[in-house]
Amino acid sequence: AYMNEEKFDTALYYFQVSKELAEEIGNMSGVAYSLGNIANIYMADEDYEKALNIYNEVRDLSEEDNNKLGLSLSYVNISIVYTELADLSDNNNQKKNYFALALENAQNSLKYAEEIESLTHMGYAYFQLIESFIVTGDYVNSLEYAEKYIEAKDSVFNIQRIKENER
């Protein structure tokens, strides 16, 4: 709620408390979840370097915990950060490097989303891949992932409709 109202300091405080409580009870998934939310605040506040560092920490925790959903989310968020950094960069070599890192991380995100068969998270990865391929001028792959994105999004929508009709 605080984040939606752009009360970043308050949201940051409560996510930090949540992280500390999760650490106290040894809930590493909870720690990673809280850190992910802290990184989201830094993203919303456009502090991309801080967000990137924390998303990398979340990725490492997810790796240690063998949390494939956490890995998929971490990688897609890292990809988003690199896309933002590329957009802000005036240095063409740095821009290319950031886009290459965005692409690599989006591909990693997709790998884990496919392993857990999560259409929602595949959609997130597809969307990042579309953006990465567009900026690199690879329109064939961009179109391929756009079609996959639409298919995944339609499937998620249809599943939601079926569940609503079963109520």
Side-chain angles (χ1 to χ4, degrees):
Y2 292 112
M3 198 162 150
N4 292 340
E5 296 172 13
E6 294 189 14
K7 295 180 180 177
F8 297 135
D9 290 339
T10 305
L12 193 59
Y13 169 79
Y14 284 111
F15 286 132
Q16 192 65 39
V17 168
S18 172
K19 175 189 158 275
E20 290 167 9
L21 290 172
E23 285 174 332
E24 281 180 29
I25 62 172
N27 180 348
M28 297 318 289
S29 292
V31 172
Y33 182 80
S34 296
L35 282 171
N37 283 315
I38 290 168
N40 292 342
I41 291 169
Y42 287 120
M43 277 295 291
D45 203 29
E46 299 179 358
D47 190 340
Y48 301 119
E49 292 296 333
K50 241 182 207 173
L52 180 61
N53 290 333
I54 296 170
Y55 285 137
N56 281 319
E57 189 177 345
V58 172
R59 182 206 54 220
D60 294 345
L61 286 170
S62 297
E63 183 76 42
E64 288 172 22
D65 204 27
N66 196 29
N67 179 346
K68 292 180 181 182
L69 174 61
L71 284 164
S72 180
L73 284 170
S74 298
Y75 280 117
V76 81
N77 285 326
I78 292 167
S79 177
I80 292 167
V81 173
Y82 281 125
T83 300
E84 292 294 334
L85 289 171
D87 288 342
L88 292 173
S89 180
D90 293 328
N91 179 317
N92 282 339
N93 286 333
Q94 189 177 44
K95 189 180 285 272
K96 281 183 186 178
N97 186 42
Y98 284 145
F99 280 129
L101 289 167
L103 177 61
E104 177 185 332
N105 281 281
Q107 289 168 327
N108 286 332
S109 175
L110 179 59
K111 175 184 129 187
Y112 288 107
E114 288 174 338
E115 283 183 25
I116 60 172
E117 299 178 357
S118 172
L119 288 172
T120 299
H121 296 90
M122 282 185 236
Y124 297 154
Y126 291 149
F127 189 82
Q128 277 306 111
L129 287 165
I130 294 165
E131 284 199 9
S132 296
F133 284 123
I134 285 174
V135 297
T136 58
D138 186 345
Y139 301 112
V140 172
N141 275 317
S142 180
L143 179 59
E144 176 188 336
Y145 284 105
E147 290 168 352
K148 289 180 179 188
Y149 172 76
I150 292 166
E151 185 179 322
K153 189 175 176 185
D154 287 349
S155 294
V156 169
F157 177 74
N158 288 334
I159 291 167
Q160 288 172 338
R161 286 189 62 204
I162 289 168
K163 285 182 181 178
E164 287 173 8
N165 289 334
E166 289 176 350
R167 291 183 191 165

